[in-house]
Amino acid sequence: MSIGNIEWDELITHAREISKHGGLKVRDGARCIEDLPISGPEEILRITGAFARENGAILMSSGGTTGNPKLAYTPFHQALGRLLSEWRPLGPGNVVLNLFNPGRLWGAHYFIQALVEQSRAVSAPTGPFTPAEVATWLPMFRKVGVNTLAGAPTGLADFAKGILDRGDELAINTIIWLAEPWTEKKYRTVRKAFPSAGFWCDYGSVETHSIAVNGPECDRDTYHLLADQLIEPQERGALLTRIGNGWTVPLLRYRLGDRIKPASCRCGRSEALVIEGRADDSVSLLSALISTGKVIELAEQVPGVEEVQLILTRSKKETAIREASVFTITFTGAAEPKQVSKQILNGIHNLASMVHQYPNSFLVKRVQKLQRVTRTNKVPAVIWREMET
């Protein structure tokens, strides 16, 4: 069941237009959307690069990986005309603390700056804080009237912890979050520090920019597709198509990295969706195919586990990109590693069989803090390492 609707005449015209600008060729006799080609990051980079040579752009890259990031040339307008016609968290009178890291090609910081400008609000582009740094800055934040935070859940939780550790308050009425999902601990921390704040999210990627949005009236993890778009849910990753002007990039059946399904939302708006997880999360551990998302889900079900991260180690003899020799499950919280190990192995039988043969291939460790991507301050679900020799 698709989310959204685009008439066939508009769709085929759009597909042929994209083909002229570097997109994939549309075969003769195409009669339905399934006849149209599926595009990926290479087509996006080629198309946006061609537009950038004529009109200029910001070169941006994805921010949630320790591997090679995806690149896209983003128009300076960042599709804010499209976005603000349906989603407007800011206006005059908002003073926004921009907690996203600047530089290193990560677009979130610059998206917030442009959003603030177009909303006629005020930005304080500080970047992230450690909890210990917050106390020093609080008097200044109060003096200038900071009432809005913008950041990824990790950075927002760090800032909130700084407030709570001090036993202090800051009158925040709006929180804009994007770039990574919430963990329950981070959400509880932010909600406790700022109980009156409304939460707003813009869901998208560096290649696509804004796709769907939610607001304080919505379920936290439910989003609403922006107009003139169509999503085809698929296990291998949802396909996104969009028509019309004003977007950052024209899209024809672009393969997203997320599994998406239709949903309903307490706000009653149509075109609701939820993100079920990453579509490309299968990893080979000594020939056993394992879903990293399933491992994380099982670990998170153990009482006392707060947040989970997988460290996947590959030896130099392995040639497959997603082939590992060692699975290390790290987690924060009060649970015992044996509890976490038992839960995972009981839930994934082919992993249990592999661990029985190779017990050193599966490790579970409790840690004080999970690893972050230095460039973006995000906590990736999976980190790849090469085995030390």
Side-chain angles (χ1 to χ4, degrees):
M1 179 180 175
S2 297
I3 307 167
N5 180 62
I6 299 175
E7 295 296 329
W8 173 250
D9 287 349
E10 294 179 299
L11 184 56
I12 190 64
T13 300
H14 174 70
R16 288 170 177 152
E17 189 64 26
I18 288 179
S19 180
K20 294 176 185 177
H21 290 89
L24 296 173
K25 188 177 186 305
V26 179
R27 71 176 178 84
D28 295 335
R31 296 180 179 276
C32 62
I33 193 167
E34 288 79 9
D35 294 334
L36 300 177
I38 294 174
S39 57
E42 289 305 313
E43 286 78 37
I44 298 298
L45 185 60
R46 184 166 62 246
I47 293 168
T48 57
F51 287 138
R53 285 190 289 274
E54 295 180 15
N55 304 302
I58 312 168
L59 183 60
M60 295 183 179
S61 76
S62 52
T65 177
T66 55
N68 292 326
K70 297 175 183 175
L71 295 173
Y73 294 90
T74 303
F76 292 109
H77 61 73
Q78 298 187 64
L80 283 167
R82 279 274 182 184
L83 181 63
L84 291 176
S85 67
E86 299 189 53
W87 184 79
R88 191 172 284 272
L90 301 175
N94 286 104
V95 180
V96 183
L97 202 60
N98 184 349
L99 298 173
F100 285 106
N101 277 10
R104 304 290 179 171
L105 300 184
W106 193 35
H109 183 92
Y110 305 98
F111 168 75
I112 294 298
Q113 292 298 101
L115 174 66
V116 172
E117 178 184 1
Q118 292 299 311
S119 303
R120 299 173 58 204
V122 173
S123 176
T126 60
F129 292 87
T130 66
E133 293 174 319
V134 174
T136 305
W137 288 79
L138 268 177
M140 187 273 278
F141 294 154
R142 290 198 183 94
K143 182 176 181 179
V144 300
V146 168
N147 59 13
T148 302
L149 302 179
T154 297
L156 291 166
D158 282 347
F159 188 83
K161 188 175 186 301
I163 298 284
L164 295 172
D165 287 349
R166 182 181 166 87
D168 216 326
E169 296 180 353
L170 186 63
I172 299 297
N173 56 38
T174 300
I175 291 175
I176 301 170
W177 64 278
L178 51 142
E180 65 181 354
W182 288 101
T183 65
E184 291 307 314
K185 183 187 178 185
K186 290 175 184 176
Y187 182 73
R188 289 195 304 269
T189 299
V190 175
R191 178 54 82 191
K192 183 177 180 181
F194 311 114
S196 301
F199 284 61
W200 302 73
C201 183
D202 171 43
Y203 165 69
S205 69
V206 65
E207 314 96 274
T208 65
H209 248 54
S210 304
I211 297 172
V213 295
N214 70 16
E217 71 283 2
C218 298
D219 298 317
R220 188 193 71 189
D221 300 317
T222 301
Y223 310 89
H224 299 274
L225 190 66
L226 296 171
D228 293 335
Q229 296 184 113
L230 175 71
I231 283 181
E232 301 168 72
Q234 291 193 3
E235 278 298 309
R236 292 178 54 205
L239 302 176
L240 174 65
T241 298
R242 59 170 53 145
I243 62 171
N245 299 319
W247 298 105
T248 57
V249 58
L251 294 174
L252 177 66
R253 307 192 81 200
Y254 177 71
R255 178 79 72 186
L256 300 171
D258 293 323
R259 287 182 291 109
I260 293 173
K261 70 175 184 179
S264 59
C265 182
R266 69 185 184 194
C267 74
R269 285 176 56 193
S270 61
E271 316 297 4
L273 59 94
V274 294
I275 293 93
E276 293 186 300
R278 297 295 293 175
D280 54 352
D281 71 346
S282 291
V283 173
S284 175
L285 174 65
L286 300 172
S287 79
L289 198 61
I290 310 296
S291 165
T292 58
K294 183 64 174 177
V295 172
I296 292 171
E297 179 187 347
L298 287 167
E300 288 175 340
Q301 292 171 1
V302 177
V305 169
E306 293 173 348
E307 192 170 9
V308 181
Q309 185 177 64
L310 304 188
I311 312 296
L312 304 183
T313 306
R314 65 162 68 91
S315 69
K316 292 184 178 179
K317 69 180 181 182
E318 275 136 14
T319 56
I321 294 175
R322 302 181 68 81
E323 184 176 347
S325 296
V326 182
F327 254 52
T328 304
I329 290 87
T330 59
F331 69 93
T332 58
E336 291 297 326
K338 287 183 178 179
Q339 294 175 286
V340 177
S341 177
K342 182 179 179 181
Q343 171 83 353
I344 294 170
L345 296 181
N346 283 345
I348 306 179
H349 300 299
N350 62 337
L351 177 59
S353 298
M354 188 58 60
V355 172
H356 181 73
Q357 297 178 62
Y358 306 98
N360 293 330
S361 68
F362 180 77
L363 307 172
V364 181
K365 298 179 180 180
R366 183 174 55 205
V367 296
Q368 290 296 314
K369 189 176 182 181
L370 300 181
Q371 297 185 39
R372 302 187 182 192
V373 179
T374 303
R375 185 170 67 90
T376 61
N377 198 40
K378 290 166 64 173
V379 177
V382 179
I383 291 179
W384 282 91
R385 285 181 180 167
E386 280 204 359
M387 186 174 291
E388 297 178 3
T389 55

